[in-house]
mmCIF file of all heavy atoms in Angstrom:
data_model
loop_
_atom_site.group_PDB
_atom_site.id
_atom_site.type_symbol
_atom_site.label_atom_id
_atom_site.label_comp_id
_atom_site.label_asym_id
_atom_site.label_seq_id
_atom_site.Cartn_x
_atom_site.Cartn_y
_atom_site.Cartn_z
ATOM 1 N N LYS A 1351 -145.426 75.032 -64.708
ATOM 2 C CA LYS A 1351 -146.183 75.814 -63.725
ATOM 3 C C LYS A 1351 -145.565 77.197 -63.576
ATOM 4 O O LYS A 1351 -146.268 78.200 -63.485
ATOM 5 C CB LYS A 1351 -146.185 75.094 -62.388
ATOM 6 C CG LYS A 1351 -147.071 75.738 -61.327
ATOM 7 C CD LYS A 1351 -148.552 75.684 -61.736
ATOM 8 C CE LYS A 1351 -149.440 76.245 -60.655
ATOM 9 N NZ LYS A 1351 -150.872 76.218 -61.027
ATOM 10 N N VAL A 1352 -144.232 77.253 -63.542
ATOM 11 C CA VAL A 1352 -143.550 78.561 -63.435
ATOM 12 C C VAL A 1352 -143.914 79.447 -64.612
ATOM 13 O O VAL A 1352 -144.234 80.623 -64.482
ATOM 14 C CB VAL A 1352 -142.038 78.370 -63.344
ATOM 15 C CG1 VAL A 1352 -141.320 79.726 -63.445
ATOM 16 C CG2 VAL A 1352 -141.631 77.675 -62.059
ATOM 17 N N VAL A 1353 -143.887 78.854 -65.832
ATOM 18 C CA VAL A 1353 -144.215 79.620 -67.023
ATOM 19 C C VAL A 1353 -145.672 80.086 -66.978
ATOM 20 O O VAL A 1353 -145.987 81.203 -67.378
ATOM 21 C CB VAL A 1353 -143.990 78.735 -68.278
ATOM 22 C CG1 VAL A 1353 -144.585 79.403 -69.530
ATOM 23 C CG2 VAL A 1353 -142.495 78.491 -68.487
ATOM 24 N N GLU A 1354 -146.564 79.226 -66.464
ATOM 25 C CA GLU A 1354 -147.963 79.629 -66.330
ATOM 26 C C GLU A 1354 -148.107 80.848 -65.434
ATOM 27 O O GLU A 1354 -148.841 81.777 -65.735
ATOM 28 C CB GLU A 1354 -148.771 78.437 -65.744
ATOM 29 C CG GLU A 1354 -150.234 78.751 -65.489
ATOM 30 C CD GLU A 1354 -150.939 77.618 -64.765
ATOM 31 O OE1 GLU A 1354 -150.523 76.453 -64.911
ATOM 32 O OE2 GLU A 1354 -151.905 77.903 -64.009
ATOM 33 N N TRP A 1355 -147.431 80.833 -64.311
ATOM 34 C CA TRP A 1355 -147.489 81.973 -63.394
ATOM 35 C C TRP A 1355 -146.875 83.227 -64.003
ATOM 36 O O TRP A 1355 -147.366 84.328 -63.823
ATOM 37 C CB TRP A 1355 -146.794 81.622 -62.077
ATOM 38 C CG TRP A 1355 -147.569 80.722 -61.179
ATOM 39 C CD1 TRP A 1355 -148.902 80.425 -61.316
ATOM 40 C CD2 TRP A 1355 -147.118 80.005 -60.064
ATOM 41 N NE1 TRP A 1355 -149.303 79.565 -60.323
ATOM 42 C CE2 TRP A 1355 -148.244 79.294 -59.529
ATOM 43 C CE3 TRP A 1355 -145.900 79.888 -59.426
ATOM 44 C CZ2 TRP A 1355 -148.135 78.481 -58.406
ATOM 45 C CZ3 TRP A 1355 -145.789 79.070 -58.294
ATOM 46 C CH2 TRP A 1355 -146.916 78.387 -57.794
ATOM 47 N N VAL A 1356 -145.787 83.055 -64.734
ATOM 48 C CA VAL A 1356 -145.140 84.190 -65.407
ATOM 49 C C VAL A 1356 -146.099 84.818 -66.431
ATOM 50 O O VAL A 1356 -146.257 86.050 -66.494
ATOM 51 C CB VAL A 1356 -143.833 83.730 -66.097
ATOM 52 C CG1 VAL A 1356 -143.324 84.807 -67.063
ATOM 53 C CG2 VAL A 1356 -142.770 83.445 -65.042
ATOM 54 N N GLU A 1357 -146.726 83.990 -67.240
ATOM 55 C CA GLU A 1357 -147.653 84.504 -68.255
ATOM 56 C C GLU A 1357 -148.844 85.213 -67.612
ATOM 57 O O GLU A 1357 -149.326 86.217 -68.113
ATOM 58 C CB GLU A 1357 -148.120 83.363 -69.161
ATOM 59 C CG GLU A 1357 -146.994 82.848 -70.064
ATOM 60 C CD GLU A 1357 -147.449 81.733 -70.974
ATOM 61 O OE1 GLU A 1357 -148.313 80.931 -70.505
ATOM 62 O OE2 GLU A 1357 -146.979 81.654 -72.133
ATOM 63 N N ARG A 1358 -149.330 84.634 -66.497
ATOM 64 C CA ARG A 1358 -150.437 85.277 -65.800
ATOM 65 C C ARG A 1358 -150.047 86.679 -65.310
ATOM 66 O O ARG A 1358 -150.835 87.618 -65.370
ATOM 67 C CB ARG A 1358 -150.860 84.405 -64.613
ATOM 68 C CG ARG A 1358 -152.144 84.860 -63.916
ATOM 69 C CD ARG A 1358 -152.416 83.963 -62.685
ATOM 70 N NE ARG A 1358 -152.403 82.556 -63.043
ATOM 71 C CZ ARG A 1358 -152.376 81.574 -62.116
ATOM 72 N NH1 ARG A 1358 -152.360 81.883 -60.824
ATOM 73 N NH2 ARG A 1358 -152.362 80.341 -62.505
ATOM 74 N N ARG A 1359 -148.827 86.811 -64.854
ATOM 75 C CA ARG A 1359 -148.341 88.091 -64.394
ATOM 76 C C ARG A 1359 -148.256 89.091 -65.534
ATOM 77 O O ARG A 1359 -148.640 90.264 -65.406
ATOM 78 C CB ARG A 1359 -146.966 87.906 -63.733
ATOM 79 C CG ARG A 1359 -146.349 89.162 -63.126
ATOM 80 C CD ARG A 1359 -147.072 89.559 -61.859
ATOM 81 N NE ARG A 1359 -146.409 90.713 -61.227
ATOM 82 C CZ ARG A 1359 -146.886 91.395 -60.210
ATOM 83 N NH1 ARG A 1359 -148.059 91.045 -59.688
ATOM 84 N NH2 ARG A 1359 -146.203 92.399 -59.706
ATOM 85 N N PHE A 1360 -147.734 88.609 -66.677
ATOM 86 C CA PHE A 1360 -147.632 89.492 -67.858
ATOM 87 C C PHE A 1360 -149.011 89.949 -68.331
ATOM 88 O O PHE A 1360 -149.192 91.075 -68.803
ATOM 89 C CB PHE A 1360 -146.888 88.783 -68.984
ATOM 90 C CG PHE A 1360 -145.381 88.916 -68.880
ATOM 91 C CD1 PHE A 1360 -144.582 87.788 -68.943
ATOM 92 C CD2 PHE A 1360 -144.775 90.175 -68.784
ATOM 93 C CE1 PHE A 1360 -143.197 87.901 -68.886
ATOM 94 C CE2 PHE A 1360 -143.395 90.282 -68.723
ATOM 95 C CZ PHE A 1360 -142.621 89.136 -68.761
#
Side-chain angles (χ1 to χ4, degrees):
K1351 187 66 176 178
V1352 172
V1353 169
E1354 177 187 332
W1355 284 346
V1356 166
E1357 290 180 325
R1358 188 184 307 167
R1359 183 72 176 172
F1360 275 127

